[in-house]
Amino acid sequence: QVQLVESGGGLVQPGGSLRLSCAASGMLFSIYAMAWYRQAPGKQRELVAAITSGGNTNYADSVKGRFTISRNNAKNTMYLQMNSLKPEDTAVYYCNGGPTISRYNYSYWGEGTRVTVSS
């Protein structure tokens, strides 16, 4: 079974940092593009960042310069380093990866990890 498991979410103050991890199993991790999505309360799920198998990255304008997506293929793990966090970053963050359905849209999803940015 393919599994994507997120971790690292929690409560952080505005201006603080968190690092999210997505551990993949049951798939050939190194050959697939991966992405982070998020869904805030009452809002649609949106793309945060994506990374190709070769390490090329793309970011939503709202997080550009603050977030960094990366991957460690030897560990079958993708990361999202989040700095200078804002209350509007509060959301459940989801790992997405595997065979491509369409641009920035891949076959498998994790269950999500919650990030709350608040004083």
Side-chain angles (χ1 to χ4, degrees):
Q1 296 182 36
V2 173
Q3 285 193 308
L4 301 175
V5 180
E6 302 94 337
S7 62
L11 175 65
V12 65
Q13 295 184 67
S17 297
L18 283 174
R19 189 175 80 155
L20 306 183
S21 297
C22 171
S25 61
M27 61 182 258
L28 294 174
F29 180 82
S30 64
I31 71 170
Y32 293 121
M34 302 288 294
W36 287 99
Y37 281 76
R38 68 186 181 187
Q39 188 166 21
K43 299 187 69 176
Q44 296 286 98
R45 191 171 299 188
E46 65 176 351
L47 178 70
V48 177
I51 184 166
T52 69
S53 61
N56 291 327
T57 59
N58 288 280
Y59 297 91
D61 287 343
S62 59
V63 308
K64 197 170 297 181
R66 299 188 297 121
F67 291 11
T68 303
I69 188 171
S70 62
R71 64 194 296 161
N72 186 329
N73 288 341
K75 296 183 177 180
N76 286 1
T77 302
M78 175 180 66
Y79 305 96
L80 185 68
Q81 179 66 47
M82 304 186 294
N83 299 325
S84 301
L85 282 160
K86 305 174 180 179
E88 51 262 46
D89 296 318
T90 295
V92 176
Y93 284 71
Y94 296 92
C95 181
N96 180 223
T100 299
I101 297 172
S102 59
R103 195 178 189 186
Y104 308 129
N105 181 16
Y106 314 117
S107 298
Y108 305 117
W109 292 88
E111 294 298 316
T113 186
R114 187 176 300 275
V115 172
T116 302
V117 184
S118 176
S119 298

